[in-house]
Amino acid sequence: MENTLRLMNSRNENFRKSLTKVDKSGEEASQLAMLEGQWRAALDKSKHKKKQARQLEGDLQTMANTLSSLKSDEGDLTAQIEEKKARLATLHKELEDVMAKKERATKQTARLVREVRTKQGVTGASDMERDIELRELRDFNAGSVQQLGGLATSQPDLAPTLQLLFSQAGLPPPPSPASSRASSVPSSARSSTSQLSTASSTRSSVSRQSATPVRTKAFDAGGLPLSTSSTPRAT
């Protein structure tokens, strides 16, 4: 009993001592303050790390979306490139066909020109050839003047210089694009009518010179054949 009583008294004494106020200037108080400071610092650091983690997750998601979009764009561009390659191959094939037709037409035109010169008894260019060359040159000059007129309209500061150059050459000033378009249709119609008339008269003169059928052609202003008599034109 005495031992039990001493034990209880000792525990009661320790309990009473624990209920006493802590000395704020003591070692335990300073240690407690240090531990609380460390805890708050660790808590702030943990919050900052969590915030950085959320930002990195957002950045990662954004980059994943960007990568997906870039892959989609890459697929579209690849499809467009393949389409362009196929179109380019088709255009190359068409160009080869056109060049082959052009070469055949050039050879046939040269042969027919030689036949016409032989039937007309001339060694150089015939009157019809000179007329075609003259019409081509006139059309080229008219087109150049129209382009200069458009340049003078779009660049007004160049208009005085162009007018001076045309005046020095003894030519009227270049027309504006509107007036050029208005006058181009009747002029081209007159040129085509006159040219067809010239070609028809040339064919008649050739047929009168020889009873043998001669293959002759009419040409447009670009030097391409319009029609053929006696023999079908090769394509």
Side-chain angles (χ1 to χ4, degrees):
M1 293 291 291
E2 291 180 358
N3 290 334
T4 303
L5 182 61
R6 281 197 301 269
L7 182 61
M8 291 182 64
N9 289 334
S10 176
R11 290 183 177 179
N12 289 335
E13 186 66 23
N14 291 334
F15 179 71
R16 281 194 298 269
K17 289 181 179 180
S18 66
L19 293 178
T20 58
K21 293 184 178 181
V22 178
D23 187 6
K24 295 183 178 180
S25 60
E27 181 179 355
E28 293 180 354
S30 62
Q31 186 177 4
L32 179 61
M34 181 184 66
L35 292 175
E36 288 178 351
Q38 291 178 356
W39 177 77
R40 284 191 295 269
L43 184 61
D44 293 340
K45 186 176 182 180
S46 175
K47 291 181 179 179
H48 181 66
K49 293 295 183 181
K50 289 181 179 179
K51 183 179 179 180
Q52 285 184 337
R54 288 193 298 269
Q55 290 178 350
L56 290 175
E57 288 178 356
D59 295 342
L60 182 61
Q61 185 63 37
T62 302
M63 294 175 66
N65 295 337
T66 303
L67 179 60
S68 177
S69 178
L70 290 175
K71 287 183 177 180
S72 177
D73 294 341
E74 181 183 9
D76 294 340
L77 291 175
T78 302
Q80 292 180 9
I81 290 174
E82 295 299 327
E83 181 182 356
K84 297 299 182 184
K85 286 182 178 180
R87 178 58 179 165
L88 183 61
T90 303
L91 291 177
H92 278 304
K93 178 62 177 176
E94 293 178 356
L95 180 60
E96 291 176 357
D97 295 339
V98 170
M99 294 302 295
K101 291 180 181 180
K102 179 182 178 182
E103 184 177 0
R104 291 195 299 269
T106 301
K107 292 180 179 179
Q108 185 180 20
T109 301
R111 177 171 53 82
L112 292 176
V113 167
R114 289 193 300 269
E115 292 180 3
V116 171
R117 289 180 180 179
T118 302
K119 295 302 180 180
Q120 291 182 349
V122 296
T123 56
S126 63
D127 293 339
M128 183 176 66
E129 294 177 59
R130 293 191 184 95
D131 181 68
I132 292 173
E133 292 177 357
L134 179 61
R135 293 178 187 278
E136 290 179 349
L137 181 59
R138 184 176 60 188
D139 292 340
F140 174 78
N141 291 338
S144 300
V145 170
Q146 290 180 7
Q147 292 180 357
L148 291 175
L151 181 62
T153 303
S154 60
Q155 303 290 337
D157 55 333
L158 297 178
T161 303
L162 292 174
Q163 291 179 359
L164 177 61
L165 293 176
F166 272 74
S167 177
Q168 291 176 353
L171 298 174
S176 61
S179 61
S180 299
R181 286 193 298 268
S183 60
S184 61
V185 175
S187 177
S188 59
R190 289 193 301 270
S191 176
S192 300
T193 303
S194 176
Q195 183 175 342
L196 291 174
S197 176
T198 303
S200 177
S201 61
T202 304
R203 287 196 301 269
S204 300
S205 62
V206 172
S207 61
R208 285 196 302 269
Q209 289 177 1
S210 175
T212 304
V214 179
R215 288 173 292 184
T216 60
K217 288 189 175 183
F219 297 85
D220 63 5
L224 297 177
L226 289 176
S227 61
T228 306
S229 62
S230 294
T231 303
R233 186 178 63 178
T235 57

